């Protein structure tokens, strides 16, 4: 058998590979790496197995991690903005003001107004959480959510950074999902800040102990704290539905203030329509009508039927306006 020197192999095929058609080298399979034996020995092919499958698995596993990193980046940016921090601070201060006022002047007279959340605060500090949420859920909390969610897409388009976000391999659908997930996290944080502030102020300024519910039953203190947690999740779900509305409006414009103002306007209009007795048949379809439905936890047993209906309304709004946002954003021509 003839042999080929290293110099001849380099000159014939380059980089130590024999020239194509060399009978002594034999055919080389795809993926084979030729190995030259020392001192004029024959060329022995070495077959390297393909590595396509591990790469595919790596990409499949890496996609969720990349999306979670994108969500984490959005959340970090949201909670580093001074504007958002200021809104959370205002939400935390309102329960303090309510508690101080009730401590100084007392609650409303039950003989004139009947049982109310504010009348129960002076007897048990845990009721301050329910009272504060019943006030803030009407306007101030929706405004904070509208600012964050309405700015999510329109704000990026307005300052010209949306094109660079879309240049990433995440895709438009995943980017939109990350924006909405960030808005949901802010909703949960905003409601949690209100509940925590009200709970601490209530325990400091008023007595605490077993809770007498609006239905007349008495439950232990720990059970009352757990019911506060249920209220936080319920109100957060309602604000998440509003965030879907604001996100859909944010995809329709490149001016963030337009999306924010439109969302707040819709909230105000819905509350006005819900306050007109002649339009009582329209109330079950209004999103704002169900935000105060958490009072079902203050009854024994809990009125889960009304709260479940409220959650269904929240889910319907999220699905409808989430679909609008996805349809608009995935087919939108991004110029900014």
């Amino acid at each position: 058998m003839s042999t080929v020197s290293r110099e001849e192999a380099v000159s014939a095929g380059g980089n130590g590979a024999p020239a194509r058609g060399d009978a002594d080298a034999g055919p080389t399979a795809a993926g084979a790496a030729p190995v030259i034996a020392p001192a004029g020995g024959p060329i022995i092919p070495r077959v390297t197995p393909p590595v396509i499958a591990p790469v595919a698995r790596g990409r499949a596993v890496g996609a969720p991690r990349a999306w979670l990193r994108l969500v984490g980046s959005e959340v970090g940016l949201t909670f580093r903005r001074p504007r958002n921090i200021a809104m959370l601070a205002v939400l935390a201060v309102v329960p303090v003001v309510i508690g101080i006022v009730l401590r100084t002047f007392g609650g409303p007279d039950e003989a004139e107004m009947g049982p109310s959340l504010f009348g129960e605060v002076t007897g048990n500090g845990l009721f301050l959480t329910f009272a504060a949420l019943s006030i803030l859920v009407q306007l101030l909390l929706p405004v904070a959510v509208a600012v964050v969610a309405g700015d999510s897409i329109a704000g990026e388009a307005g300052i010209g950074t949306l094109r660079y976000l879309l240049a990433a391999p995440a895709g438009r659908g995943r980017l939109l999902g990350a924006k909405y997930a960030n808005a949901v996290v802010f909703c949960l944080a905003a409601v949690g800040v209100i509940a925590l502030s009200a709970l601490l102020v209530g325990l400091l300024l008023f007595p605490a102990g077993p809770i007498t519910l609006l239905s007349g039953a008495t439950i232990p203190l720990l059970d009352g704290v757990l019911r506060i947690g249920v209220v936080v999740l319920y109100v957060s779900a309602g604000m998440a539905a509003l965030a879907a509305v604001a996100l859909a409006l944010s995809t329709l414009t490149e001016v963030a203030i337009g999306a924010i103002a439109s969302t707040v306007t819709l909230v105000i209009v819905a509350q006005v329509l819900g306050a007109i007795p002649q339009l009582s048949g329209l109330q079950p379809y209004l999103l704002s009508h169900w935000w105060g439905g958490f009072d079902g936890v203050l009854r024994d047993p809990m009125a889960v039927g009304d709260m479940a209906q409220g959650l269904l309304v929240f889910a319907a709004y999220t699905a409808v306006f989430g679909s609008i946002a996805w349809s608009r954003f995935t087919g939108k021509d991004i110029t900014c």
Side-chain angles (χ1 to χ4, degrees):
M1 179 180 294
S2 62
T3 59
V4 181
S5 65
R6 184 178 181 86
E7 291 76 7
E8 292 173 345
V10 171
S11 60
N15 296 330
R20 182 175 299 178
D22 194 336
D24 291 335
T28 302
V35 178
I36 302 177
I43 298 177
I44 304 174
R46 180 179 61 192
V47 179
T48 303
V51 291
I52 298 177
V55 173
R57 283 198 303 269
R59 290 179 179 176
V61 174
R65 294 179 179 176
W67 185 80
L68 290 176
R69 286 197 298 268
L70 181 60
V71 173
S73 175
E74 291 290 334
V75 171
L77 180 62
T78 297
F79 287 97
R80 285 196 301 268
R81 286 182 176 176
R83 175 195 65 189
N84 299 337
I85 296 176
M87 290 190 300
L88 292 176
V90 171
L91 293 175
V93 168
V94 172
V96 178
V97 175
I98 296 174
I100 294 176
V101 170
L102 292 178
R103 177 66 178 178
T104 304
F105 301 101
D109 189 358
E110 293 188 5
E112 298 179 359
M113 301 184 59
S116 65
L117 294 177
F118 293 93
E120 299 291 339
V121 170
T122 55
N124 196 313
L126 266 67
F127 275 94
L128 182 60
T129 303
F130 304 111
L133 284 173
S134 67
I135 290 181
L136 292 175
V137 79
Q138 299 300 321
L139 186 60
L140 194 55
L141 182 57
V143 167
V145 173
V147 169
V148 173
D151 183 66
S152 57
I153 299 296
E156 298 282 3
I159 62 178
T161 57
L162 187 57
R163 285 188 303 172
Y164 301 101
L165 286 176
L166 295 178
R172 294 193 178 194
R174 292 181 180 177
L175 177 61
L176 187 67
K179 292 288 187 180
Y180 181 67
N182 169 64
V184 172
V185 171
F186 181 82
C187 293
L188 186 60
V191 179
V193 164
I194 296 172
L196 182 60
S197 174
L199 183 61
L200 293 177
V201 173
L203 294 178
L204 289 175
L205 299 181
F206 305 101
I211 302 176
T212 302
L213 302 177
L214 298 180
S215 59
T218 302
I219 61 175
L221 177 64
L222 180 58
D223 193 2
V225 175
L226 294 178
R227 296 194 181 209
I228 289 177
V230 173
V231 171
V232 169
L233 295 178
Y234 179 86
V235 176
S236 298
M239 293 300 104
L242 178 64
V245 176
L247 186 65
L249 294 175
S250 184
T251 61
L252 301 177
T253 179
E254 295 178 356
V255 181
I257 190 63
I260 297 170
S262 299
T263 305
V264 175
T265 301
L266 289 178
V267 171
I268 296 175
V269 170
Q271 291 179 345
V272 170
L273 294 177
I276 301 176
Q278 291 79 2
L279 299 178
S280 58
L282 186 62
Q283 293 179 359
Y285 303 97
L286 299 176
L287 180 61
S288 59
H289 173 73
W290 298 99
W291 287 341
F294 59 82
D295 58 352
V297 303
L298 298 176
R299 308 186 184 279
D300 191 30
M302 286 194 297
V304 295
D306 293 341
M307 296 181 65
Q309 188 173 357
L311 292 176
L312 288 177
V313 173
F314 298 157
Y317 269 83
T318 302
V320 171
F321 285 93
S323 299
I324 294 174
W326 180 85
S327 176
R328 172 61 179 169
F329 187 63
T330 54
K332 183 178 182 180
D333 184 18
I334 305 300
T335 58
C336 296

